[in-house]
Amino acid sequence: MINETALLESQTLRGSVLERTDVLDRVKALSLLPDGMHVTTAMVASYFSVTVEVVRALVHDHRAELEASGYRVLAGTELSDFKQLSGIQSRTRSLALFPRRAVLNIAMLLRDSEVARQVRVHLLDMEYLARTQPVENSAPQDATSLDARIDQRITHVLGRTVVPLFNALIETSGEHRRELTALRAGVQRIEKRLRQHHARLQRLEAPREGRPLAGVMAAMDAMNGREFEEHVAELLRRDGCTDVVVQGGGRDRGIDITALTADGRRIVVQCKRFAPHLSITSPEIQKFLGAAKVLHDSEVALFVATCPFTRDALNIAAESGITAVHRGLVEEWSAGAALTVLE
């Protein structure tokens, strides 16, 4: 089970639970901007009952991680377009925006806030239930159905209203075409993630029609090394990667799988099918780093394992640009969730 200290200290663990944004509303109502998707720095500070300076300091210390969660600062024409589309009345020259994922990320970084602590407690309780209960008991039917209906409604609005609005604006705008195209791409990414989340809820709601989450890791634990490599290769293909090749044998030069992302970036993968009580250590990450960056000149490096990583291993991976896909992330990935680094 993930504990609170590990959650505060491990970026990889925080990233593995960022989709559970519903825990925010279980603790306290989170007010959103008129666009229905974002909050400002002041709104984040109000939610956690801390000062704006505390939030800004946290952003300064963890900016890259929060940007990966969706945090961004708008200025210039991009800010003007956002104000016009969302109906915000403000003379500010820049505006920091946090989606719900980034707010949850803040909750997992903010130590001196009782609200943040309560969010972490709820989050850890949900993770524990999801990993220990049978699938049919892992989520109440009414709550899952409600989430599914909300996701469907939001997806419908994005696909049938917001995206067509952007299309019309792009056709009639010459000066701001690039900014509008970028905003439209962002909305379409949100729509895609909602569809993926809805598909996951459907699997939880009807376990007989898909593989139960509790059985995903059991199936992988029964695989041998080669079968696990083939499984990871199939996940890459499922998520749009091309030229996926399982190397195998003694000539792999420290790499088990090579591939290209959907946008053409070079991927290298190391697969370790270890028992759950073992851990990936820092020397293994260092060895993979040399093969991935020096021998193969990779742009995306994945170390996929059926066991946890030590803290030193996670630190080295984060510092060197390696994505550590630990046991929990493998479970989520196999169950249908996408790896952010592949998008």
Side-chain angles (χ1 to χ4, degrees):
M1 177 180 174
I2 301 173
N3 60 55
E4 187 175 0
T5 301
L7 202 61
L8 287 165
E9 295 179 352
S10 171
Q11 180 178 345
T12 301
L13 289 179
R14 292 192 292 270
S16 71
V17 294
L18 277 178
E19 297 302 328
R20 297 193 178 276
T21 56
D22 54 318
V23 299
L24 296 170
D25 297 313
R26 293 174 183 265
V27 175
K28 183 179 178 181
L30 177 64
S31 300
L32 300 173
L33 289 172
D35 71 337
M37 292 186 290
H38 296 93
V39 298
T40 64
T41 304
M43 295 166 76
V44 173
S46 176
Y47 177 84
F48 290 112
S49 300
V50 298
T51 64
V52 170
E53 287 70 26
V54 168
V55 177
R56 287 175 176 165
L58 206 62
V59 171
H60 179 270
D61 293 339
H62 303 274
R63 190 180 185 95
E65 178 180 345
L66 290 168
E67 285 179 341
S69 301
Y71 168 83
R72 61 185 307 198
V73 178
L74 302 184
T77 56
E78 191 175 23
L79 176 58
S80 299
D81 292 338
F82 181 82
K83 289 180 181 179
Q84 182 177 0
L85 290 170
S86 62
I88 294 177
Q89 301 296 323
S90 173
R91 294 184 179 180
T92 182
R93 295 183 179 181
S94 63
L95 184 64
L97 296 178
F98 298 76
R100 291 172 65 86
R101 281 167 52 93
V103 177
L104 180 57
N105 208 150
I106 289 287
M108 293 185 282
L109 292 167
L110 191 57
R111 295 175 182 268
D112 300 324
S113 165
E114 179 58 23
V115 176
R117 191 194 68 79
Q118 291 180 26
V119 170
R120 292 194 294 271
V121 169
H122 278 75
L123 181 61
L124 293 171
D125 287 346
M126 290 178 63
E127 276 296 290
Y128 177 77
L129 290 173
R131 295 178 186 279
T132 58
Q133 289 187 355
V135 173
E136 57 269 27
N137 297 325
S138 61
Q141 181 69 23
D142 55 345
T144 303
S145 299
L146 177 60
D147 282 348
R149 290 197 298 272
I150 292 173
D151 281 352
Q152 284 181 307
R153 182 59 181 164
I154 295 175
T155 304
H156 176 81
V157 171
L158 291 176
R160 300 295 180 87
T161 304
V162 179
V163 172
L165 174 61
F166 274 120
N167 291 339
L169 288 172
I170 290 170
E171 288 297 324
T172 59
S173 175
E175 181 180 356
H176 304 304
R177 183 182 297 270
R178 180 177 298 177
E179 291 83 358
L180 288 169
T181 301
L183 286 171
R184 180 183 63 182
V187 170
Q188 289 173 324
R189 284 194 296 271
I190 294 171
E191 182 185 5
K192 176 184 176 182
R193 295 194 70 86
L194 281 172
R195 292 186 187 279
Q196 292 171 340
H197 181 56
H198 177 59
R200 183 184 173 203
L201 286 177
Q202 286 182 314
R203 284 191 294 274
L204 289 171
E205 205 168 23
R208 292 182 181 179
E209 298 177 5
R211 176 180 291 180
L213 286 178
V216 171
M217 292 311 300
M220 276 187 282
D221 288 339
M223 296 177 183
N224 59 36
R226 181 67 177 189
E227 289 170 339
F228 181 57
E229 292 169 5
E230 294 288 353
H231 174 72
V232 173
E234 188 56 37
L235 293 178
L236 292 169
R237 296 186 186 99
R238 183 202 69 191
D239 290 350
C241 297
T242 60
D243 295 341
V244 180
V245 178
V246 179
Q247 301 295 322
R251 300 180 180 179
D252 58 11
R253 303 176 75 191
I255 299 300
D256 294 320
I257 302 171
T258 59
L260 296 175
T261 63
D263 57 3
R265 289 171 293 151
R266 292 183 299 279
I267 307 172
V268 295
V269 186
Q270 176 68 268
C271 300
K272 293 294 184 185
R273 202 215 61 74
F274 283 178
H277 65 275
L278 300 177
S279 295
I280 301 300
T281 59
S282 55
E284 290 169 298
I285 295 293
Q286 292 169 344
K287 180 180 178 181
F288 175 58
L289 174 62
K293 302 297 184 180
V294 178
L295 296 180
H296 293 269
D297 191 26
S298 66
E299 296 168 277
V300 178
L302 306 178
F303 199 116
V304 185
T306 57
C307 63
F309 290 68
T310 65
R311 181 181 299 179
D312 286 343
L314 289 173
N315 290 338
I316 293 174
E319 292 170 1
S320 57
I322 292 174
T323 300
V325 186
H326 57 74
R327 186 177 180 85
L329 280 179
V330 175
E331 179 182 23
E332 296 290 333
W333 190 20
S334 300
L339 287 182
T340 303
V341 72
L342 299 179
E343 296 181 340

PDB file of all heavy atoms in Angstrom, residues 178-202:
ATOM      1  N   ARG A 178      -2.743  30.303 -34.972  1.00  0.00           N
ATOM      2  CA  ARG A 178      -1.842  29.365 -34.308  1.00  0.00           C
ATOM      3  C   ARG A 178      -2.250  29.142 -32.856  1.00  0.00           C
ATOM      4  O   ARG A 178      -2.288  28.005 -32.371  1.00  0.00           O
ATOM      5  CB  ARG A 178      -0.412  29.893 -34.357  1.00  0.00           C
ATOM      6  CG  ARG A 178       0.600  28.974 -33.673  1.00  0.00           C
ATOM      7  CD  ARG A 178       2.011  29.512 -33.806  1.00  0.00           C
ATOM      8  NE  ARG A 178       2.423  29.590 -35.200  1.00  0.00           N
ATOM      9  CZ  ARG A 178       3.600  30.090 -35.593  1.00  0.00           C
ATOM     10  NH1 ARG A 178       4.461  30.536 -34.696  1.00  0.00           N
ATOM     11  NH2 ARG A 178       3.909  30.143 -36.874  1.00  0.00           N
ATOM     12  N   GLU A 179      -2.582  30.238 -32.138  1.00  0.00           N
ATOM     13  CA  GLU A 179      -2.974  30.109 -30.737  1.00  0.00           C
ATOM     14  C   GLU A 179      -4.271  29.319 -30.600  1.00  0.00           C
ATOM     15  O   GLU A 179      -4.417  28.459 -29.717  1.00  0.00           O
ATOM     16  CB  GLU A 179      -3.139  31.489 -30.099  1.00  0.00           C
ATOM     17  CG  GLU A 179      -1.827  32.257 -29.925  1.00  0.00           C
ATOM     18  CD  GLU A 179      -1.408  32.992 -31.185  1.00  0.00           C
ATOM     19  OE1 GLU A 179      -2.123  32.864 -32.204  1.00  0.00           O
ATOM     20  OE2 GLU A 179      -0.375  33.683 -31.157  1.00  0.00           O
ATOM     21  N   LEU A 180      -5.223  29.585 -31.474  1.00  0.00           N
ATOM     22  CA  LEU A 180      -6.503  28.872 -31.413  1.00  0.00           C
ATOM     23  C   LEU A 180      -6.324  27.392 -31.730  1.00  0.00           C
ATOM     24  O   LEU A 180      -6.963  26.525 -31.123  1.00  0.00           O
ATOM     25  CB  LEU A 180      -7.499  29.497 -32.392  1.00  0.00           C
ATOM     26  CG  LEU A 180      -8.036  30.882 -31.991  1.00  0.00           C
ATOM     27  CD1 LEU A 180      -8.800  31.510 -33.152  1.00  0.00           C
ATOM     28  CD2 LEU A 180      -8.932  30.770 -30.774  1.00  0.00           C
ATOM     29  N   THR A 181      -5.433  27.099 -32.691  1.00  0.00           N
ATOM     30  CA  THR A 181      -5.171  25.695 -33.026  1.00  0.00           C
ATOM     31  C   THR A 181      -4.568  24.957 -31.835  1.00  0.00           C
ATOM     32  O   THR A 181      -4.925  23.815 -31.551  1.00  0.00           O
ATOM     33  CB  THR A 181      -4.216  25.610 -34.232  1.00  0.00           C
ATOM     34  OG1 THR A 181      -4.811  26.278 -35.356  1.00  0.00           O
ATOM     35  CG2 THR A 181      -3.948  24.156 -34.609  1.00  0.00           C
ATOM     36  N   ALA A 182      -3.661  25.632 -31.107  1.00  0.00           N
ATOM     37  CA  ALA A 182      -3.057  25.018 -29.922  1.00  0.00           C
ATOM     38  C   ALA A 182      -4.095  24.782 -28.833  1.00  0.00           C
ATOM     39  O   ALA A 182      -4.112  23.730 -28.190  1.00  0.00           O
ATOM     40  CB  ALA A 182      -1.929  25.907 -29.389  1.00  0.00           C
ATOM     41  N   LEU A 183      -4.991  25.747 -28.631  1.00  0.00           N
ATOM     42  CA  LEU A 183      -6.049  25.572 -27.630  1.00  0.00           C
ATOM     43  C   LEU A 183      -6.984  24.433 -28.015  1.00  0.00           C
ATOM     44  O   LEU A 183      -7.403  23.637 -27.175  1.00  0.00           O
ATOM     45  CB  LEU A 183      -6.845  26.879 -27.475  1.00  0.00           C
ATOM     46  CG  LEU A 183      -6.148  28.014 -26.720  1.00  0.00           C
ATOM     47  CD1 LEU A 183      -6.955  29.288 -26.831  1.00  0.00           C
ATOM     48  CD2 LEU A 183      -5.949  27.646 -25.258  1.00  0.00           C
ATOM     49  N   ARG A 184      -7.308  24.345 -29.304  1.00  0.00           N
ATOM     50  CA  ARG A 184      -8.173  23.256 -29.757  1.00  0.00           C
ATOM     51  C   ARG A 184      -7.509  21.905 -29.504  1.00  0.00           C
ATOM     52  O   ARG A 184      -8.161  20.949 -29.064  1.00  0.00           O
ATOM     53  CB  ARG A 184      -8.485  23.404 -31.250  1.00  0.00           C
ATOM     54  CG  ARG A 184      -9.397  22.295 -31.791  1.00  0.00           C
ATOM     55  CD  ARG A 184      -9.621  22.431 -33.278  1.00  0.00           C
ATOM     56  NE  ARG A 184      -8.388  22.279 -34.032  1.00  0.00           N
ATOM     57  CZ  ARG A 184      -8.308  22.399 -35.362  1.00  0.00           C
ATOM     58  NH1 ARG A 184      -9.384  22.680 -36.075  1.00  0.00           N
ATOM     59  NH2 ARG A 184      -7.143  22.250 -35.965  1.00  0.00           N
ATOM     60  N   ALA A 185      -6.195  21.816 -29.768  1.00  0.00           N
ATOM     61  CA  ALA A 185      -5.479  20.560 -29.522  1.00  0.00           C
ATOM     62  C   ALA A 185      -5.535  20.181 -28.039  1.00  0.00           C
ATOM     63  O   ALA A 185      -5.681  19.007 -27.691  1.00  0.00           O
ATOM     64  CB  ALA A 185      -4.021  20.687 -29.985  1.00  0.00           C
ATOM     65  N   GLY A 186      -5.444  21.191 -27.163  1.00  0.00           N
ATOM     66  CA  GLY A 186      -5.542  20.919 -25.739  1.00  0.00           C
ATOM     67  C   GLY A 186      -6.902  20.369 -25.346  1.00  0.00           C
ATOM     68  O   GLY A 186      -7.008  19.421 -24.564  1.00  0.00           O
ATOM     69  N   VAL A 187      -7.952  20.951 -25.900  1.00  0.00           N
ATOM     70  CA  VAL A 187      -9.308  20.464 -25.627  1.00  0.00           C
ATOM     71  C   VAL A 187      -9.476  19.038 -26.132  1.00  0.00           C
ATOM     72  O   VAL A 187     -10.080  18.183 -25.466  1.00  0.00           O
ATOM     73  CB  VAL A 187     -10.358  21.392 -26.278  1.00  0.00           C
ATOM     74  CG1 VAL A 187     -11.758  20.767 -26.203  1.00  0.00           C
ATOM     75  CG2 VAL A 187     -10.363  22.750 -25.586  1.00  0.00           C
ATOM     76  N   GLN A 188      -8.930  18.756 -27.314  1.00  0.00           N
ATOM     77  CA  GLN A 188      -9.057  17.406 -27.875  1.00  0.00           C
ATOM     78  C   GLN A 188      -8.297  16.384 -27.037  1.00  0.00           C
ATOM     79  O   GLN A 188      -8.728  15.233 -26.916  1.00  0.00           O
ATOM     80  CB  GLN A 188      -8.563  17.402 -29.322  1.00  0.00           C
ATOM     81  CG  GLN A 188      -9.506  18.132 -30.271  1.00  0.00           C
ATOM     82  CD  GLN A 188      -8.944  18.287 -31.674  1.00  0.00           C
ATOM     83  OE1 GLN A 188      -7.740  18.488 -31.863  1.00  0.00           O
ATOM     84  NE2 GLN A 188      -9.805  18.190 -32.667  1.00  0.00           N
ATOM     85  N   ARG A 189      -7.162  16.789 -26.435  1.00  0.00           N
ATOM     86  CA  ARG A 189      -6.440  15.876 -25.541  1.00  0.00           C
ATOM     87  C   ARG A 189      -7.277  15.572 -24.295  1.00  0.00           C
ATOM     88  O   ARG A 189      -7.314  14.431 -23.821  1.00  0.00           O
ATOM     89  CB  ARG A 189      -5.086  16.476 -25.140  1.00  0.00           C
ATOM     90  CG  ARG A 189      -4.020  16.407 -26.228  1.00  0.00           C
ATOM     91  CD  ARG A 189      -2.644  16.689 -25.661  1.00  0.00           C
ATOM     92  NE  ARG A 189      -2.534  18.042 -25.147  1.00  0.00           N
ATOM     93  CZ  ARG A 189      -2.157  19.089 -25.883  1.00  0.00           C
ATOM     94  NH1 ARG A 189      -1.867  18.924 -27.161  1.00  0.00           N
ATOM     95  NH2 ARG A 189      -2.068  20.295 -25.342  1.00  0.00           N
ATOM     96  N   ILE A 190      -7.947  16.615 -23.770  1.00  0.00           N
ATOM     97  CA  ILE A 190      -8.821  16.398 -22.611  1.00  0.00           C
ATOM     98  C   ILE A 190      -9.948  15.448 -22.975  1.00  0.00           C
ATOM     99  O   ILE A 190     -10.283  14.532 -22.216  1.00  0.00           O
ATOM    100  CB  ILE A 190      -9.382  17.751 -22.117  1.00  0.00           C
ATOM    101  CG1 ILE A 190      -8.251  18.624 -21.561  1.00  0.00           C
ATOM    102  CG2 ILE A 190     -10.456  17.531 -21.059  1.00  0.00           C
ATOM    103  CD1 ILE A 190      -8.659  20.039 -21.251  1.00  0.00           C
ATOM    104  N   GLU A 191     -10.533  15.647 -24.143  1.00  0.00           N
ATOM    105  CA  GLU A 191     -11.626  14.781 -24.595  1.00  0.00           C
ATOM    106  C   GLU A 191     -11.152  13.328 -24.699  1.00  0.00           C
ATOM    107  O   GLU A 191     -11.858  12.387 -24.287  1.00  0.00           O
ATOM    108  CB  GLU A 191     -12.151  15.263 -25.952  1.00  0.00           C
ATOM    109  CG  GLU A 191     -13.319  14.455 -26.487  1.00  0.00           C
ATOM    110  CD  GLU A 191     -13.731  14.891 -27.880  1.00  0.00           C
ATOM    111  OE1 GLU A 191     -13.051  15.760 -28.455  1.00  0.00           O
ATOM    112  OE2 GLU A 191     -14.716  14.349 -28.406  1.00  0.00           O
ATOM    113  N   LYS A 192      -9.923  13.130 -25.236  1.00  0.00           N
ATOM    114  CA  LYS A 192      -9.378  11.782 -25.377  1.00  0.00           C
ATOM    115  C   LYS A 192      -9.200  11.120 -24.022  1.00  0.00           C
ATOM    116  O   LYS A 192      -9.563   9.951 -23.824  1.00  0.00           O
ATOM    117  CB  LYS A 192      -8.035  11.848 -26.112  1.00  0.00           C
ATOM    118  CG  LYS A 192      -7.331  10.497 -26.238  1.00  0.00           C
ATOM    119  CD  LYS A 192      -5.965  10.653 -26.898  1.00  0.00           C
ATOM    120  CE  LYS A 192      -5.226   9.328 -26.937  1.00  0.00           C
ATOM    121  NZ  LYS A 192      -3.870   9.470 -27.525  1.00  0.00           N
ATOM    122  N   ARG A 193      -8.666  11.874 -23.032  1.00  0.00           N
ATOM    123  CA  ARG A 193      -8.433  11.302 -21.717  1.00  0.00           C
ATOM    124  C   ARG A 193      -9.757  10.963 -21.034  1.00  0.00           C
ATOM    125  O   ARG A 193      -9.855   9.961 -20.306  1.00  0.00           O
ATOM    126  CB  ARG A 193      -7.609  12.262 -20.851  1.00  0.00           C
ATOM    127  CG  ARG A 193      -6.197  12.507 -21.377  1.00  0.00           C
ATOM    128  CD  ARG A 193      -5.336  13.175 -20.321  1.00  0.00           C
ATOM    129  NE  ARG A 193      -5.042  12.248 -19.253  1.00  0.00           N
ATOM    130  CZ  ARG A 193      -4.034  11.385 -19.269  1.00  0.00           C
ATOM    131  NH1 ARG A 193      -3.244  11.322 -20.314  1.00  0.00           N
ATOM    132  NH2 ARG A 193      -3.825  10.594 -18.244  1.00  0.00           N
ATOM    133  N   LEU A 194     -10.780  11.790 -21.259  1.00  0.00           N
ATOM    134  CA  LEU A 194     -12.085  11.492 -20.680  1.00  0.00           C
ATOM    135  C   LEU A 194     -12.657  10.207 -21.270  1.00  0.00           C
ATOM    136  O   LEU A 194     -13.270   9.402 -20.564  1.00  0.00           O
ATOM    137  CB  LEU A 194     -13.043  12.661 -20.919  1.00  0.00           C
ATOM    138  CG  LEU A 194     -12.889  13.860 -19.976  1.00  0.00           C
ATOM    139  CD1 LEU A 194     -13.744  15.018 -20.444  1.00  0.00           C
ATOM    140  CD2 LEU A 194     -13.241  13.479 -18.548  1.00  0.00           C
ATOM    141  N   ARG A 195     -12.478  10.028 -22.568  1.00  0.00           N
ATOM    142  CA  ARG A 195     -12.958   8.795 -23.196  1.00  0.00           C
ATOM    143  C   ARG A 195     -12.238   7.575 -22.615  1.00  0.00           C
ATOM    144  O   ARG A 195     -12.846   6.532 -22.368  1.00  0.00           O
ATOM    145  CB  ARG A 195     -12.753   8.854 -24.710  1.00  0.00           C
ATOM    146  CG  ARG A 195     -13.644   9.884 -25.408  1.00  0.00           C
ATOM    147  CD  ARG A 195     -13.504   9.789 -26.923  1.00  0.00           C
ATOM    148  NE  ARG A 195     -14.214  10.859 -27.580  1.00  0.00           N
ATOM    149  CZ  ARG A 195     -15.538  10.841 -27.813  1.00  0.00           C
ATOM    150  NH1 ARG A 195     -16.262   9.816 -27.417  1.00  0.00           N
ATOM    151  NH2 ARG A 195     -16.118  11.863 -28.425  1.00  0.00           N
ATOM    152  N   GLN A 196     -10.927   7.715 -22.391  1.00  0.00           N
ATOM    153  CA  GLN A 196     -10.167   6.609 -21.809  1.00  0.00           C
ATOM    154  C   GLN A 196     -10.636   6.322 -20.384  1.00  0.00           C
ATOM    155  O   GLN A 196     -10.778   5.163 -19.985  1.00  0.00           O
ATOM    156  CB  GLN A 196      -8.667   6.942 -21.811  1.00  0.00           C
ATOM    157  CG  GLN A 196      -8.060   6.996 -23.206  1.00  0.00           C
ATOM    158  CD  GLN A 196      -6.645   7.542 -23.185  1.00  0.00           C
ATOM    159  OE1 GLN A 196      -6.234   8.203 -22.232  1.00  0.00           O
ATOM    160  NE2 GLN A 196      -5.891   7.286 -24.232  1.00  0.00           N
ATOM    161  N   HIS A 197     -10.892   7.400 -19.622  1.00  0.00           N
ATOM    162  CA  HIS A 197     -11.361   7.209 -18.255  1.00  0.00           C
ATOM    163  C   HIS A 197     -12.741   6.552 -18.239  1.00  0.00           C
ATOM    164  O   HIS A 197     -13.018   5.677 -17.421  1.00  0.00           O
ATOM    165  CB  HIS A 197     -11.418   8.563 -17.552  1.00  0.00           C
ATOM    166  CG  HIS A 197     -11.874   8.496 -16.119  1.00  0.00           C
ATOM    167  ND1 HIS A 197     -11.248   7.715 -15.176  1.00  0.00           N
ATOM    168  CD2 HIS A 197     -12.906   9.104 -15.476  1.00  0.00           C
ATOM    169  CE1 HIS A 197     -11.853   7.850 -14.009  1.00  0.00           C
ATOM    170  NE2 HIS A 197     -12.879   8.673 -14.167  1.00  0.00           N
ATOM    171  N   HIS A 198     -13.607   6.963 -19.167  1.00  0.00           N
ATOM    172  CA  HIS A 198     -14.939   6.370 -19.247  1.00  0.00           C
ATOM    173  C   HIS A 198     -14.839   4.882 -19.581  1.00  0.00           C
ATOM    174  O   HIS A 198     -15.574   4.050 -19.027  1.00  0.00           O
ATOM    175  CB  HIS A 198     -15.774   7.094 -20.300  1.00  0.00           C
ATOM    176  CG  HIS A 198     -17.141   6.512 -20.493  1.00  0.00           C
ATOM    177  ND1 HIS A 198     -18.058   6.430 -19.474  1.00  0.00           N
ATOM    178  CD2 HIS A 198     -17.730   5.964 -21.584  1.00  0.00           C
ATOM    179  CE1 HIS A 198     -19.165   5.871 -19.935  1.00  0.00           C
ATOM    180  NE2 HIS A 198     -18.990   5.571 -21.198  1.00  0.00           N
ATOM    181  N   ALA A 199     -13.924   4.540 -20.484  1.00  0.00           N
ATOM    182  CA  ALA A 199     -13.751   3.131 -20.847  1.00  0.00           C
ATOM    183  C   ALA A 199     -13.290   2.326 -19.632  1.00  0.00           C
ATOM    184  O   ALA A 199     -13.725   1.189 -19.416  1.00  0.00           O
ATOM    185  CB  ALA A 199     -12.732   3.002 -21.984  1.00  0.00           C
ATOM    186  N   ARG A 200     -12.437   2.924 -18.807  1.00  0.00           N
ATOM    187  CA  ARG A 200     -11.978   2.239 -17.597  1.00  0.00           C
ATOM    188  C   ARG A 200     -13.133   2.034 -16.620  1.00  0.00           C
ATOM    189  O   ARG A 200     -13.278   0.973 -16.000  1.00  0.00           O
ATOM    190  CB  ARG A 200     -10.863   3.046 -16.937  1.00  0.00           C
ATOM    191  CG  ARG A 200     -10.298   2.360 -15.705  1.00  0.00           C
ATOM    192  CD  ARG A 200      -9.281   3.231 -15.040  1.00  0.00           C
ATOM    193  NE  ARG A 200      -8.878   2.629 -13.781  1.00  0.00           N
ATOM    194  CZ  ARG A 200      -8.352   3.321 -12.772  1.00  0.00           C
ATOM    195  NH1 ARG A 200      -8.171   4.599 -12.880  1.00  0.00           N
ATOM    196  NH2 ARG A 200      -8.002   2.718 -11.661  1.00  0.00           N
ATOM    197  N   LEU A 201     -13.995   3.068 -16.457  1.00  0.00           N
ATOM    198  CA  LEU A 201     -15.151   2.937 -15.578  1.00  0.00           C
ATOM    199  C   LEU A 201     -16.081   1.826 -16.048  1.00  0.00           C
ATOM    200  O   LEU A 201     -16.652   1.091 -15.248  1.00  0.00           O
ATOM    201  CB  LEU A 201     -15.917   4.262 -15.514  1.00  0.00           C
ATOM    202  CG  LEU A 201     -15.273   5.392 -14.706  1.00  0.00           C
ATOM    203  CD1 LEU A 201     -16.111   6.657 -14.813  1.00  0.00           C
ATOM    204  CD2 LEU A 201     -15.107   4.991 -13.250  1.00  0.00           C
ATOM    205  N   GLN A 202     -16.224   1.702 -17.365  1.00  0.00           N
ATOM    206  CA  GLN A 202     -17.068   0.642 -17.892  1.00  0.00           C
ATOM    207  C   GLN A 202     -16.515  -0.730 -17.539  1.00  0.00           C
ATOM    208  O   GLN A 202     -17.277  -1.658 -17.237  1.00  0.00           O
ATOM    209  CB  GLN A 202     -17.191   0.779 -19.416  1.00  0.00           C
ATOM    210  CG  GLN A 202     -18.097   1.927 -19.849  1.00  0.00           C
ATOM    211  CD  GLN A 202     -18.242   2.004 -21.344  1.00  0.00           C
ATOM    212  OE1 GLN A 202     -17.255   1.912 -22.087  1.00  0.00           O
ATOM    213  NE2 GLN A 202     -19.464   2.162 -21.809  1.00  0.00           N
TER     214      GLN A 202
END
